[in-house]
Amino acid sequence: MINDGYLIVSGSRIEEVGKTPFAGDRSEFTATVNLKANVLLPGLVNTHGHAAMTLLRGYADDLPLSEWLEARIWPIEDLMTAEDIKWGTWLAIWEMIASGTTTFTDMYFHEDQVAQAVEDSGMRAVLSRGMIGFAPKGEQTAMESRDFVQRWNGAAGGRITTLLGPHAAYTCPPEYLREIVVPLAQELNVPLQIHLCETRYEVEQSIAQYGVTPVQHLVNCGVFAVPTLAAHCVHVSDHDIDLLKANGVRIAHNPQSNLKLGSGIAPLSKLRSAGLTIGLGTDGAASNNDLDMWEEIRLAATLHKGTAEDPVLVSACEALELGTAGGAQALFLEQGLGTLVPGAPADFIVVDYHKPYYYPRHDVTAHLVYSAKSADVIDVVVDGRQLMRNGEYLTLDVEQIVYETNRCASRLFGS
Amino acid sequence: MINDGYLIVSGSRIEEVGKTPFAGDRSEFTATVNLKANVLLPGLVNTHGHAAMTLLRGYADDLPLSEWLEARIWPIEDLMTAEDIKWGTWLAIWEMIASGTTTFTDMYFHEDQVAQAVEDSGMRAVLSRGMIGFAPKGEQTAMESRDFVQRWNGAAGGRITTLLGPHAAYTCPPEYLREIVVPLAQELNVPLQIHLCETRYEVEQSIAQYGVTPVQHLVNCGVFAVPTLAAHCVHVSDHDIDLLKANGVRIAHNPQSNLKLGSGIAPLSKLRSAGLTIGLGTDGAASNNDLDMWEEIRLAATLHKGTAEDPVLVSACEALELGTAGGAQALFLEQGLGTLVPGAPADFIVVDYHKPYYYPRHDVTAHLVYSAKSADVIDVVVDGRQLMRNGEYLTLDVEQIVYETNRCASRLFGS
């Protein structure tokens, strides 16, 4: 983090970082961000989500989980076209850029639309077509996943990487995971992401059906032979955590979604103590209801102190690391992303440090983690390219996004 | 809440509320707020805090509670002068107006400075001089409390009301509560506010010292003969809750402070089921670290769903009510404050409803509770007087506040 120094970018990379004001010749640089005593820090990394679910934001709140999913979310998703996914994703990208997220991951459908919006907006993303294992979707989603990976892995100058996205153990039967998903991931040489132990019910069902926890079940299916990012891990036993660690599984912790859906609270401290690689995520906007990584960072730093009644758990510094470098590692992105070091991709943001809750100037990390608001982000740079400059969007058209998402919503919801 | 209607204010009161666009003659009104499809709602009510602790924001985070209090907070508080309290309070008022809080409560020292800042800024507040019962502070804080109440109760055209503020059962011995605090409150005819059952340690100590829980102890001391607002109530038994209800005690729920200090999670659902009057609070900025009521409302609506694994607990509508009308009732303010009904005090705010996380337009209450950011507040009216207009402050000088609070902090912290 820099609030009295400089950063030199060369192409898409950070070339030099100075902790004192820059003394050289500025004329050789094509772009400069004047910090004016603001704070520059790595862009935030969102390690779990379904971008186009922004269209369902606020459509189904405060409902029992089964009613939420079966009576509200799924029927609408069945109606969603490529056009809906396109504009729902642009709405998400607008919100993410506005709030300082520079990298996100996605697992959804019509995923080409998501990739195209990422390419056009200048964001960095790790994308997957969600795979449902039951016939007839199993074969279809596997085929689409293969096409998607082949078309998009490494695209947009490397800003887009891809994964396979088997949705969950309860939507992908063992033979599907073993015979389709794992061999395909190995053939394409990509990792995979999966929902895991999100609810107590999921664990109980797994034990009823397979006699083991979902984590052990995925071990038994050979899933972890492929590098894996597991979202949620709310209801994991100590033995599950040992298995996750032994298999190098990476974790996306989504505290706000887990609270709001009544899923529970993941044992972040235990997962951290086990030495797992962990990032933070918002989940989709139907279950959050926003894509505000500052709220996830704040919750990571406060929630576990409260549940354990231990005020020293998960320091501000650790929480910020989970939301930046930790997230980049969880998404299998190259070493250095999410930090400000020479050679790292130039993904960074500037926070307006002149709000009331940033005074007095005691501790910049504490101020960011415990007080920062998403609206304070004024500059966003991804891969060396500026996407927002002093609050102005350089790669997206807000009025068009509002117009088109309202149009999509009117058709989907008949409002 | 209004996002397609009108509100007519007459003097300091709401005269008329319309749920459709206004059709009358606008020329007779001296002021109009153009909603432009934004949302107008009651101002937020903060039911627990220590405003001038903004000066300690970020000074002592992620520490064990005893070290936080004894090695960091108390030594600095011993150094704080009337000037520090003045500017710390103005810093708090800036942050509160900016984020849509129109009423707050305070328990601190040099309380005249707080009242003066409230009078000058146009805010509404319920103020108390904090009382510590041990000699020699016991007599002194009681005397100051009497003076303060006599000077300020009903001041600023009724915007200021006062309470007695006995700090807690563990800082006010039984005879002090029984013989000084309660008779003084009855003589002055004011309610009181007190910290209660904030930590597990506090309950254990009470049982060790008095053989009963802090709630039962206050009952035994006759404290609840006076109308009482109790802050925190994190560690309360079912029997304690029955006692609170039987004695009409009102509750300030401070979820973020309780999490961050590792105090725990108050049983909000049980307190609500018991029919208690409840508001939300931020607590001081040393333990939060901001005064953002939107975060407290969001936590009230999500935290208890998560801990109980029940997604229907504390709906968006209920959480917003806790942050507005519930808070006004908890602070002993007149019926109607915190709502938009004819005859109620004209305390309301306007939220810029054009941010990405407010699309599509499914449910305005869900959008506000689960997605709103404090920065979205653009207009603030208290008692019929506009304090912020389209983001511009009409009663405070931001540059002076920054200058003076930095000066105070330099002297206090030697930085």
Side-chain angles (χ1 to χ4, degrees), chain A residues 297-345:
Chain A
I297 291 170
R298 186 161 312 132
L299 269 177
T302 54
L303 182 58
H304 308 284
K305 290 176 169 75
T307 52
E309 296 180 28
D310 182 352
V312 305
L313 285 184
V314 196
S315 70
C317 194
E318 289 163 349
L320 192 57
E321 195 272 343
L322 290 173
T324 51
Q329 287 158 35
L331 290 181
F332 309 100
L333 295 169
E334 65 171 301
Q335 201 69 26
L337 188 76
T339 66
L340 300 178
V341 294

Side-chain angles (χ1 to χ4, degrees), chain B residues 161-181:
Chain B
T161 53
T162 63
L163 305 171
L164 292 194
H167 173 266
Y170 59 89
T171 48
C172 295
E175 55 279 13
Y176 184 74
L177 291 170
R178 196 179 287 116
E179 291 159 26
I180 307 285
V181 175

Side-chain angles (χ1 to χ4, degrees), chain B residues 61-143:
Chain B
D61 293 308
D62 308 331
L63 295 173
L65 198 64
S66 57
E67 189 181 339
W68 177 77
L69 203 57
E70 291 162 26
R72 298 291 196 103
I73 303 298
W74 285 346
I76 292 292
E77 286 188 338
D78 279 347
L79 300 176
M80 286 168 81
T81 64
E83 189 75 358
D84 297 321
I85 301 302
K86 172 181 175 175
W87 291 109
T89 300
W90 273 106
L91 180 59
I93 287 176
W94 172 21
E95 185 182 349
M96 288 192 277
I97 292 176
S99 56
T101 293
T102 52
T103 298
F104 72 101
T105 186
D106 198 65
M107 178 202 290
Y108 219 46
F109 51 101
H110 295 303
E111 198 70 18
D112 286 332
Q113 299 292 331
V114 182
Q116 193 61 55
V118 169
E119 177 162 29
D120 295 345
S121 65
M123 288 283 282
R124 188 183 302 281
V126 180
L127 305 177
S128 62
R129 198 283 182 233
M131 301 171 80
I132 303 292
F134 302 115
K137 284 204 160 178
E139 209 170 313
Q140 180 204 333
T141 57
M143 212 167 59

Side-chain angles (χ1 to χ4, degrees), chain B residues 43-47 96 100-105 123-126 293 328 331 333 337 347 382:
Chain B
L44 307 182
V45 178
N46 189 342
T47 62
M96 288 192 277
T101 293
T102 52
T103 298
F104 72 101
T105 186
M123 288 283 282
R124 188 183 302 281
V126 180
M293 282 294 296
L331 290 181
L333 295 168
L337 188 75
D347 289 23
V382 175

Side-chain angles (χ1 to χ4, degrees), chain A residues 232-394:
Chain A
H232 302 304
C233 297
V234 174
H235 297 281
V236 285
S237 66
D238 290 350
H239 182 58
D240 287 335
I241 294 175
D242 291 342
L243 289 174
L244 293 169
K245 175 61 182 169
N247 287 280
V249 176
R250 303 168 191 210
I251 312 290
H253 175 45
N254 307 285
Q256 193 159 80
S257 166
N258 296 155
L259 289 178
K260 178 163 181 283
L261 294 183
S263 303
I265 298 170
L268 179 64
S269 295
K270 281 189 180 181
L271 296 167
R272 281 175 46 81
S273 298
L276 286 155
T277 297
I278 307 171
L280 302 177
T282 57
D283 205 348
S287 50
N288 188 300
N289 291 352
D290 55 30
L291 307 177
D292 184 338
M293 283 294 295
W294 297 99
E295 291 178 6
E296 306 302 331
I297 291 170
R298 186 161 312 132
L299 269 177
T302 54
L303 182 58
H304 308 284
K305 290 176 169 75
T307 52
E309 296 180 28
D310 182 352
V312 305
L313 285 184
V314 196
S315 70
C317 194
E318 289 163 349
L320 192 57
E321 195 272 343
L322 290 173
T324 51
Q329 287 158 35
L331 290 181
F332 309 100
L333 295 169
E334 65 171 301
Q335 201 69 26
L337 188 76
T339 66
L340 300 178
V341 294
D347 289 24
F348 59 88
I349 62 178
V350 176
V351 167
D352 176 353
Y353 203 49
H354 296 81
K355 305 291 179 174
Y357 38 77
Y358 296 133
Y359 296 100
R361 303 300 203 193
H362 288 306
D363 182 330
V364 62
T365 307
H367 280 358
L368 290 178
V369 169
Y370 295 121
S371 298
K373 317 295 168 202
S374 55
D376 303 341
V377 176
I378 51 175
D379 289 282
V380 174
V381 173
V382 175
D383 216 39
R385 178 184 180 196
Q386 195 146 11
L387 309 188
M388 183 164 74
R389 179 184 293 135
N390 201 20
E392 193 188 333
Y393 303 101
L394 304 180

Side-chain angles (χ1 to χ4, degrees), chain A residues 54-55 57 61-62 200 235 259-260 262 290 292 295 298 305-306 309 316 357 359-360 362 366 370 373, chain B residues 54-55 57 61-62 200 235 259-260 262 290 292 295 298 305-306 309 316 357 359-360 362 366 370 373:
Chain A
T54 50
L55 291 183
R57 185 200 324 270
D61 293 307
D62 308 331
R200 190 177 298 277
H235 297 281
L259 289 178
K260 178 163 181 283
D290 55 30
D292 184 338
E295 291 178 6
R298 186 161 312 132
K305 290 176 169 75
E309 296 180 28
Y357 38 77
Y359 296 100
H362 288 306
Y370 295 121
K373 317 295 168 202
Chain B
T54 51
L55 291 183
R57 185 200 323 271
D61 293 308
D62 308 331
R200 190 177 297 277
H235 297 281
L259 290 178
K260 177 162 181 283
D290 54 31
D292 185 337
E295 291 178 6
R298 187 161 311 133
K305 290 176 168 76
E309 295 179 28
Y357 38 78
Y359 296 100
H362 288 306
Y370 295 120
K373 316 297 168 201

Side-chain angles (χ1 to χ4, degrees), chain B residues 339-390:
Chain B
T339 66
L340 300 178
V341 294
D347 289 23
F348 59 88
I349 62 178
V350 177
V351 167
D352 177 353
Y353 203 48
H354 297 81
K355 306 292 179 175
Y357 38 78
Y358 295 133
Y359 296 100
R361 303 299 202 194
H362 288 306
D363 182 330
V364 63
T365 308
H367 281 358
L368 290 178
V369 169
Y370 295 120
S371 298
K373 316 297 168 201
S374 55
D376 303 341
V377 176
I378 52 175
D379 289 282
V380 174
V381 173
V382 175
D383 215 39
R385 178 184 180 196
Q386 194 147 12
L387 308 187
M388 183 164 74
R389 179 183 294 137
N390 201 20

Side-chain angles (χ1 to χ4, degrees), chain A residues 97-137:
Chain A
I97 292 176
S99 56
T101 293
T102 52
T103 298
F104 72 101
T105 186
D106 198 66
M107 178 203 289
Y108 219 45
F109 51 101
H110 296 302
E111 198 69 18
D112 285 333
Q113 299 292 333
V114 181
Q116 191 62 55
V118 168
E119 177 163 28
D120 295 344
S121 65
M123 289 282 282
R124 189 183 301 280
V126 180
L127 306 176
S128 61
R129 198 284 182 230
M131 302 171 79
I132 302 293
F134 303 114
K137 283 204 160 179

